[in-house]
Amino acid sequence: MGKIISFANQKGGVGKTTSAVNIAASLGVLGYKVLLIDLDPQGNATSGVGIMKKSLKVTAFDMLTTNMGVKDVAMQTRFDNLWVVPTHTTLARAEFELGNVENGEYVMKNKLEAVRNDYDYIIIDCPPSLGMLTVNAMTASDGVVIPMQCEFFALEGLSQLMFTISRIKSHYNAALNVTGILITMHNNRLILSMQVISELRKHYADKLFETTISRNVKVSEAPGFGAPVYYHEKRSKGANEYMNVAKELAERI
């Protein structure tokens, strides 16, 4: 049975989508069959795997608000073992639609149960908010990966996200767990970075991924080429770090 993992953080610009795309692609390289679901209305995960949003006829919005299933919407990418449920800005309307449906929190869960055995991993890139789309993703998930920067404001946001996860766990999904906290855009020469990591180890030592993601030019460049960093420059530090995180994720699960 495939494992469903949400990548979530209500704070934007923390490397959430970048991490979801690159870890999904790295798992594909490792031989796992992976479905990446773009649940962020910005659609950056979609363009990050080379899908032109303007050309889309069906998207995650159709999957969530009509009788269409995952198989009706999923597209195979040009990358090894990687499929994507794409999206564009129309997905923002789904927050309203799901809020007006009875048991709207379970729509994603019900859709994914039909294809769960078809994939080894289903990776969901959540929007940078804690609305109905994120609730749907977490209700459907086995675990949550939290990408975050080494900033003190990020620590405050982490507390809020942990509270949200605990509420979803108690109300909708008793099996939900925090799979890991992933440090992104890390600079080990900054004292602040060391202080934040030290603080995280005090409270979440068992949740921190051993690998941190450094600031890396190739990681930043890759979305502009519509490719995960492994396919943009597989010898780069960023590609190596994301591959190590993918291996660690597979071991944890």
Side-chain angles (χ1 to χ4, degrees), residues 32-57:
Y32 298 105
K33 189 176 180 182
V34 183
L35 175 66
L36 173 65
I37 299 180
D38 190 351
L39 211 61
D40 186 340
Q42 296 175 88
N44 290 336
T46 299
S47 54
V49 293
I51 305 296
M52 297 292 292
K53 287 179 280 189
K54 290 182 179 178
S55 67
L56 294 173
K57 291 182 173 61

Side-chain angles (χ1 to χ4, degrees), residues 227-247:
V229 67
Y230 178 88
Y231 293 93
H232 176 55
E233 181 49 79
K234 68 179 180 181
R235 294 180 182 84
S236 67
K237 186 177 183 181
N240 184 57
E241 288 172 345
Y242 272 119
M243 187 62 70
N244 287 337
V245 174
K247 290 175 182 176

Side-chain angles (χ1 to χ4, degrees), residues 9-18 38-48 51-54 56 60 86-93 95 125-129 133:
N9 195 321
Q10 75 275 18
K11 189 176 186 298
V14 298
K16 173 185 58 64
T17 297
T18 298
D38 190 351
L39 211 61
D40 186 340
Q42 296 175 88
N44 290 336
T46 299
S47 54
I51 305 296
M52 297 292 292
K53 287 179 280 189
K54 290 182 179 178
L56 294 173
T87 198
H88 51 50
T89 53
T90 56
L91 183 62
R93 303 202 323 257
E95 292 277 2
D125 181 35
C126 297
S129 64
L133 289 170

Side-chain angles (χ1 to χ4, degrees), residues 30-249:
L30 292 171
Y32 298 105
K33 189 176 180 182
V34 183
L35 175 66
L36 173 65
I37 299 180
D38 190 351
L39 211 61
D40 186 340
Q42 296 175 88
N44 290 336
T46 299
S47 54
V49 293
I51 305 296
M52 297 292 292
K53 287 179 280 189
K54 290 182 179 178
S55 67
L56 294 173
K57 291 182 173 61
V58 290
T59 67
F61 177 80
D62 301 287
M63 181 186 75
L64 291 171
T65 61
T66 72
N67 291 327
M68 284 189 179
V70 176
K71 290 182 179 179
D72 299 316
V73 180
M75 303 172 64
Q76 188 167 7
T77 72
R78 59 190 172 93
F79 309 111
D80 294 344
N81 302 312
L82 182 61
W83 282 255
V84 64
V85 170
T87 198
H88 51 50
T89 53
T90 56
L91 183 62
R93 303 202 323 257
E95 292 277 2
F96 175 79
E97 300 274 354
L98 293 169
N100 286 312
V101 175
E102 186 177 359
N103 294 321
E105 296 85 0
Y106 296 96
V107 172
M108 175 72 81
K109 180 181 179 67
N110 294 334
K111 297 282 185 174
L112 293 185
E113 285 302 319
V115 298
R116 190 173 182 133
N117 292 328
D118 297 337
Y119 301 94
D120 297 304
Y121 292 97
I122 298 174
I123 303 293
I124 306 175
D125 181 35
C126 297
S129 64
L130 299 176
M132 278 294 286
L133 289 170
T134 299
V135 170
N136 255 264
M138 291 189 186
T139 300
S141 293
D142 300 300
V144 182
V145 169
I146 304 170
M148 62 174 286
Q149 285 180 269
C150 287
E151 297 177 350
F152 280 111
F153 286 135
L155 288 173
E156 292 181 1
L158 179 61
S159 298
Q160 184 183 352
L161 183 55
M162 288 294 191
F163 176 72
T164 299
I165 291 169
S166 69
R167 284 184 64 95
I168 292 172
K169 187 179 176 77
S170 62
H171 286 85
Y172 307 116
N173 182 5
L176 184 66
N177 288 298
V178 176
T179 303
I181 298 170
L182 177 62
I183 298 299
T184 61
M185 305 178 198
H186 181 229
N187 185 341
N188 58 15
R189 291 174 293 181
L190 294 178
I191 294 174
L192 177 61
S193 293
M194 296 298 102
Q195 289 173 333
V196 172
I197 289 176
S198 175
E199 196 68 20
L200 285 168
R201 285 189 177 131
K202 286 181 189 175
H203 303 285
Y204 306 106
D206 60 325
K207 299 299 183 186
L208 275 178
F209 281 97
E210 291 181 19
T211 303
T212 59
I213 305 300
S214 309
R215 287 190 179 275
N216 185 270
V217 172
K218 295 300 179 183
V219 170
S220 300
E221 284 178 354
F225 291 88
V229 67
Y230 178 88
Y231 293 93
H232 176 55
E233 181 49 79
K234 68 179 180 181
R235 294 180 182 84
S236 67
K237 186 177 183 181
N240 184 57
E241 288 172 345
Y242 272 119
M243 187 62 70
N244 287 337
V245 174
K247 290 175 182 176
E248 191 177 345
L249 178 66

